[in-house]
Amino acid sequence: LFEDAGTGTPLSGMAEAFEELCVLIKSGGGGRGDGYDLRLKPFCDACSLVSVLFGCLGIAFKFAEMEYVSKVRDLAEASKRHGSLNTILDIDVKNDTVRTPGSLSRNLRRVRQGLDLIRALFQNFLSSDDYSLKEAASTAYAQVCAPYHTWAVRTAVSAGMCALPTREQLLLKLNETDESAEKEMRRYINASLPIIQYIDKLYISRNISLDW
Ligand code: 1PZ
């Protein structure tokens, strides 16, 4: 079933994990009548795999890694008490804590932005061989995350961008060739989009805006 299990690269592991989530949410069922009720545990397991990328970015993105990892960890911790993504939204809506710093619904929104950032980054990376990793990442960050980050964070990120490796160094660290990276990045792009849309729908269906 999973032919590259065990021998896969970090990118193929990420792609595979999100493809498996896609199969789940597209299966439709789950008992709530409004689509599949995605459990927190498999979602967090997939999100954790993304952290392997941080290892390729160097010390400048240590703070981004700590931010992302701690939010995924909070969600994974909550998976023991609350079953699904729907549940945490319901609880925060009831307590009026959807946007409260540190709340699970806010952490979910931030993790979703991290997934989208990587999707946009891969898309930019593949759009042209002449695009440096720094350009691809800066553009993706400006599109996906910068509008929601403070000035201090945006400044730190733009400084960190200068320390990113080159395209060739990144591929080497990821144990990919140009061709294999293209294949795995496309798999992630295609599989992450339905998950991102699924998460957005959780908020929109509860009349929560996405401008934060
Ligand atoms: C090869 C890949 C290169 C990609 C480089 C892109 C790096 C972007 C770094 C973003 C840093 C964000 C740092 C901190 C942000 C916090 O202000 C917010 C708000 O937190 P809150 O106020 O809600 O508690 N936190 C976040 O948005 C959490 C997620 C941000 C990190 C996502 C990174 C995704 C993975 C990048 C690739 C490894």
Side-chain angles (χ1 to χ4, degrees), residues 7-22:
T7 57
T9 60
L11 281 187
S12 71
M14 271 172 65
E16 187 173 299
F18 282 91
E19 282 173 352
E20 286 173 23
L21 289 185
C22 268

Side-chain angles (χ1 to χ4, degrees), residues 53-54 57 61 63-64 67-68 71 106 110 114 117-118 121 133 137 141 149 153 157 161 164 170:
L53 284 182
F54 287 111
L57 301 183
F61 285 102
F63 74 103
E67 260 292 310
Y68 178 83
K71 286 173 163 63
R106 180 165 170 136
R110 298 298 174 225
L117 175 65
I118 296 160
L121 167 72
L133 179 61
Y141 178 76
H149 284 171
V153 168
V157 170
M161 292 291 179
L164 284 178
L170 179 71

